[in-house]
Amino acid sequence: DTAVSQTPKYLVTQMGNDKSIKCEQNLGHDTMYWYKQDSKKFLKIMFSYNNKELIINETVPNRFSPKSPDKAHLNLHINSLELGDSAVYFCASSQRGQRAGGNTIYFGEGSWLTVV
Amino acid sequence: GQSLEQPSEVTAVEGAIVQINCTYQTSGFYGLSWYQQHDGGAPTFLSYNALDGLEETGRFSSFLSRSDSYGYLLLQELQMKDSASYFCAVSRGSSGSARQLTFGSGTQLTVLP
């Protein structure tokens, strides 16, 4: 069973298009995240949701809009894609208040977005 | 602001011991985590230190000194499969708030035969 699953795994699209990446976790966690990893492997948090409520919204263009229909799902919609959006986008989840392991975050396998 | 520093690359041979250091500057520090990421894969949790000292998990150990804002990951009896990127990450936040995990830029470990 995949704990955090995201689709699609690979996405090649043209500049200006709108695309979505879906994410689901079956761990029963109450917090979900979107991270962006660039070509230099720098892993940066974009958004965090706790029980469907946005709690972290880092400085990302407003072309990026997360949507959490329930606490097991966090989708990422990107409008007007630009070349610089090419990256790997990781969905992740954790359980808030978890003492053991601090913020143990479970990552999905990543969605490789290429904008041409 | 906040920052984390770790070496960009480390190379070692099979069977050796390697230490990856991480220094950090942040407010509201709760703990230091380590994650491993193989090429093309997802980051996976290795260890977490909230208190000063050494935590051991099999061949991997992690150390934290809160007073020095410093930690390290120690990998013993290196194996080829340990070739990967290793990220330190600080867990921070205020009391009652959500913890935010901020990652360092990663250390690419190459294990040679």
Side-chain angles (χ1 to χ4, degrees):
Chain A
D1 276 348
T2 304
V4 181
S5 59
Q6 50 184 112
T7 57
K9 186 169 176 65
Y10 299 101
L11 183 55
V12 181
T13 188
Q14 291 187 327
M15 282 175 55
N17 284 350
D18 303 338
K19 291 295 176 186
S20 293
I21 307 173
K22 295 186 176 181
C23 179
E24 175 182 4
Q25 55 95 4
N26 63 6
L27 296 167
H29 289 164
D30 60 3
T31 305
M32 295 186 71
Y33 311 83
W34 278 107
Y35 280 84
K36 178 181 179 180
Q37 188 170 45
D38 62 24
S39 58
K40 294 184 179 178
K41 294 195 174 181
F42 186 59
L43 198 59
K44 182 174 171 59
I45 190 168
M46 301 173 70
F47 303 102
S48 174
Y49 269 73
N50 178 261
N51 283 324
K52 301 194 317 177
E53 180 185 349
L54 180 65
I55 53 173
I56 293 174
N57 182 1
E58 290 296 308
T59 306
V60 298
N62 56 15
R63 298 182 293 104
F64 291 79
S65 53
K67 282 237 170 86
S68 182
D70 55 62
K71 72 175 191 176
H73 294 83
L74 180 62
N75 303 323
L76 182 66
H77 190 75
I78 315 170
N79 289 328
S80 304
L81 278 157
E82 300 177 357
L83 293 177
D85 297 332
S86 296
V88 185
Y89 292 85
F90 285 99
C91 178
S93 72
S94 69
Q95 181 61 34
R96 185 173 178 175
Q98 172 191 24
R99 176 63 183 93
N103 275 95
T104 305
I105 291 184
Y106 297 81
F107 286 85
E109 290 301 308
S111 294
W112 300 67
L113 172 65
T114 302
V115 182
V116 296
Chain B
Q2 54 184 336
S3 67
L4 294 97
E5 288 193 17
Q6 54 181 125
S8 58
E9 295 178 334
V10 172
T11 302
V13 296
E14 263 189 304
I17 299 173
V18 72
Q19 178 174 312
I20 300 173
N21 299 320
C22 175
T23 57
Y24 60 87
Q25 283 187 322
T26 187
S27 57
F29 176 84
Y30 272 103
L32 187 71
S33 302
W34 288 92
Y35 283 75
Q36 178 192 60
Q37 184 181 26
H38 287 98
D39 278 349
T44 55
F45 173 80
L46 287 178
S47 69
Y48 173 75
N49 295 68
L51 303 175
D52 286 357
L54 193 67
E55 295 277 345
E56 297 182 66
T57 310
R59 296 187 296 113
F60 294 178
S61 304
S62 58
F63 172 83
L64 175 65
S65 168
R66 294 175 72 110
S67 59
D68 294 325
S69 298
Y70 162 77
Y72 66 72
L73 179 69
L74 189 73
L75 299 88
Q76 303 182 73
E77 300 172 23
L78 280 174
Q79 301 175 9
M80 298 293 289
K81 67 178 182 179
D82 297 331
S83 291
S85 292
Y86 292 84
F87 295 86
C88 60
V90 293
S91 178
R92 64 185 183 92
S94 56
S95 176
S97 73
R99 305 282 175 83
Q100 183 170 342
L101 204 63
T102 302
F103 286 82
S105 55
T107 298
Q108 177 66 48
L109 170 64
T110 302
V111 180
L112 302 174

